[in-house]
Structure formats: structure tokens, C-alpha cells
Amino acid sequence: MRSKHCTALGLSFGINAAALVALAPRQPVNTRRRPLAPRQPVSTRRWPVTPRHAAPPLEFVKAVGAHLPLADDATCSYAHRDPDVLILHDFVSSEDCDGLLAAGRAASLEKSPVEYAGWTEDAAELLQTWASGPAAWIALAAVLVAVNIFGVEDRIQLAETGLGVYAVNLGLAAVAIFGFLDQRKEKLQALRTSKSVALRGSTPAKGEVECYERLLELLPSITPESCEALTLIKYDAGDSLAPHYDANRAADAEDIARGGQTLATLLVYLNDVEDGGCTRFNKLGITVAPKKGDACLFFPADADGKFDERMEHEGEAPRAEKWIGRIWVHARPIIGETGCPPGTLE
């Protein structure tokens, strides 16, 4: 009788493995989070860039709460209201821009990293889909095989067969799912072609302190401990960043060390770019052109950390070199080396 049980388990294991191979690639993949795979190929049209499609209607997008409050005396203009996209003219001086450019050119730049935000939700969704469907059916099939082909009648033995096959199902599915997510992360990395370096030196670069001070003045509720290190990003001609989000729906689980949800993004344009290189907000139908010394401030999530799906954006390819400085503001103090270097503002 035990040999029949083992034979049934082995047969069901084979069925399970075949089903995994056949069905696993068909599982849906959530592409809602940062960085987002483009729904259409990244544009390779010749410059100058002309306006693309009109913004889709936003009345169907669920609104979020208020973003981080601005200082009462904040001076800015708006590229868009609700959600707010701010243009900060002359955010830093030309000399500060040149100082940051010099720091970037002297540093060892590496390919800009891409974090697969939301991978825990994707893994849970795929595993739940498998557990509630194919895994249960394969376990049931194994029990039916044991009864009808091998004549097993003992209920305990049948329960062991069903549970054993179900457990093997989930184990193999987990291995397949995490392998699939690793492949997806590699594909996401290919969507970003820029190079970057985070300024974490003991001596601040010229213009680095000024960026933090201006940002802290503009957003009085934040602290330096919740700001990431100023990251200098270089786009060579033709480099781009596909549509993506800076916030993370799974920030509470995945971004604990980084301070949780990303509440604000500051982009400081360090050089003039004649053609291309705009920051495009696809769902809002607007673009922000890079101008030396100006900055763009927007809010990927509201002040309570609620993800704002309207804030999808991309970096269009410039025709010539483009440099920006980026600071992410998080909901809580950052643990670890990604934060603003200690002593920078002392």
C-alpha cells in the first residue's frame, strides 16, 4: 500500500512539474510600480521633440490626500495643479551648478541602479493565484489518481497524498516565481541607460549644501535625516529613462531601511539642454524642459504615504549631454548609507 502511495505521489509530482512549466509564464505581471515598463516602446524619433498624445482624463483616477506642505513664503510656478508639479526658477546659482558638475565629472560614475519596487506584492499575487488554482487542482488530481488507479482507500493516506502534492506545488511555484522576478528585474534595469553617483563624501561638493538648504526651506516639515544623498545623474545623447513611479505601493515592506515611502522628488537641472532631455509626466500631459539652475519638485505620494498613480513620469533622451541632481524625501529617517551624509549641513 505504501508503494502505491509513493507511486501516486511521484505521478502527481510529474503532473505538477509539467503544469508549472506550461502555466507559470502565463501568470500576470503587475507593472504598476517603480520603475514601470513602458506600455509602448521608448520614442526614438528625431529631435526636436514634438508634443505627444494628449493626457488621459484624470477624473477616473482616485485622488489622494494633500502632499507635504510648502513654506508660506515659497516662490515657485506650477507646471500642473492637482497633482502639483512645481518649477523652481533659479533654485541654485550657476556657480553651484558648475560645482556639482565638476564633482560629477570627477567621480566614478556607474550605471544608474533600478529597484524593483513592489516585488513583494507581485510575488504574493502570483503565489496566491497558483495556490488557489493550479496547486489545488493538481492535488485533487493526485488524490483521484490514488483512488481510481491505485485503489487507495485509506483516508489518512489520501490526505497525506493531497497535502504532500499541494506542498510540493507551492515549493516549486515559489522557486519559479522568484526566478521569474529576477529576470524581470534585469529587464527593468535595461530601461534605464543613464549613469550616476551619490555624493556621500566627508566634504560636501560646492552646491551640495545649497540644494539641501533650499529644499528644507521649501518643505519645512521635513528633516535632513529623511532626505536621501544628493545623486548626480548623467544622460549622454540618446540615454533615457522609461515611464516609472518614484513611490512604491509596498514601501512599508520593502523600503524600511530607506525611510519608507517616497513623499517628494527634487530634480535640479545642472546644465542647459537645447534639444530633448525633458521630464515628461505622461498622465498629466506636461513636460518640464531642463534649464540650468532650475528645479522641478513633485510628490509621488501624499503626506500620509498614499501612492499617487497620476505621477508616472519619464526622462526623455537628450540630443546632447544632460546632468541633473536628485534628492528623494522619505516619510521617516533613513537607516543606512543612502541618506544625507552626517555632518553635511553642520
Side-chain angles (χ1 to χ4, degrees):
M1 187 67 69
R2 178 60 62 180
S3 62
K4 293 182 179 180
H5 170 70
C6 294
T7 304
L9 183 60
L11 180 60
S12 62
F13 180 86
I15 296 173
N16 167 59
L20 273 174
V21 173
L23 297 179
R26 301 177 190 173
Q27 297 298 329
V29 178
N30 191 325
T31 57
R32 297 170 296 175
R33 292 169 286 275
R34 174 188 71 179
L36 183 67
R39 290 180 295 274
Q40 297 179 348
V42 176
S43 174
T44 57
R45 296 177 295 176
R46 294 184 178 275
W47 307 104
V49 174
T50 56
R52 286 197 246 171
H53 57 79
L58 295 180
E59 59 265 25
F60 301 108
V61 177
K62 187 175 181 180
V64 299
H67 59 66
L68 291 173
L70 298 174
D72 294 337
D73 59 350
T75 302
C76 61
S77 60
Y78 289 84
H80 194 276
R81 295 302 305 264
D82 191 23
D84 291 347
V85 178
L86 285 66
I87 307 299
L88 310 169
H89 298 291
D90 300 320
F91 185 77
V92 292
S93 68
S94 178
E95 292 75 16
D96 288 335
C97 289
D98 292 339
L100 292 172
L101 283 172
R105 293 194 171 104
S108 178
L109 300 177
E110 298 181 353
K111 188 171 183 179
S112 299
V114 172
E115 295 293 335
Y116 184 177
W119 69 268
T120 56
E121 287 191 353
D122 285 349
E125 182 178 339
L126 291 170
L127 191 58
Q128 176 62 32
T129 299
W130 186 265
S132 60
W137 285 107
I138 292 173
L140 178 60
V143 172
L144 293 176
V145 167
V147 172
N148 296 318
I149 296 180
F150 297 103
V152 178
E153 297 180 356
D154 184 87
R155 293 184 178 181
I156 295 179
Q157 189 173 350
L158 291 174
E160 290 176 350
T161 298
L163 291 175
V165 170
Y166 188 77
V168 169
N169 258 279
L170 293 186
L172 291 177
V175 172
I177 287 170
F178 282 105
F180 175 77
L181 294 181
D182 284 341
Q183 292 179 354
R184 173 157 180 74
K185 183 177 181 180
E186 293 177 1
K187 292 180 180 179
L188 290 174
Q189 180 64 61
L191 299 178
R192 182 166 199 163
T193 55
S194 61
K195 299 179 177 64
S196 62
V197 62
L199 299 181
R200 299 193 179 103
S202 57
T203 302
K206 179 174 176 55
E208 182 178 354
V209 172
E210 286 73 13
C211 287
Y212 284 114
E213 288 179 342
R214 290 293 309 278
L215 180 59
L216 292 169
E217 292 172 359
L218 190 63
L219 302 174
S221 65
I222 69 173
T223 65
E225 290 75 21
S226 64
C227 298
E228 285 204 18
L230 175 62
T231 299
L232 304 180
I233 305 173
K234 177 188 179 185
Y235 292 84
D236 288 319
D239 284 347
S240 63
L241 176 57
H244 65 286
Y245 295 97
D246 286 351
N248 183 357
R249 296 181 191 273
D252 289 341
E254 298 175 12
D255 294 338
I256 296 175
R258 296 178 63 235
Q261 186 64 279
T262 304
L263 302 185
T265 296
L266 176 73
L267 302 178
V268 183
Y269 301 107
L270 303 180
N271 68 313
D272 291 316
V273 181
E274 293 184 2
D275 293 320
C278 296
T279 304
R280 171 174 285 276
F281 296 83
N282 293 300
K283 294 185 177 182
L284 307 182
I286 63 171
T287 59
V288 178
K291 180 182 177 184
K292 185 175 182 178
D294 284 0
C296 177
L297 178 68
F298 58 94
F299 305 91
D302 67 17
D304 294 326
K306 184 178 180 181
F307 184 95
D308 193 340
E309 62 184 287
R310 301 171 295 177
M311 299 310 296
E312 178 194 82
H313 59 286
E314 66 178 290
E316 294 183 336
R319 192 171 181 179
E321 183 181 80
K322 168 190 170 184
W323 285 83
I324 65 172
R326 183 199 67 209
I327 298 177
W328 277 326
V329 179
H330 291 277
R332 298 183 297 275
I334 297 170
I335 304 171
E337 62 177 12
T338 62
C340 173
T344 300
L345 298 178
E346 292 180 354

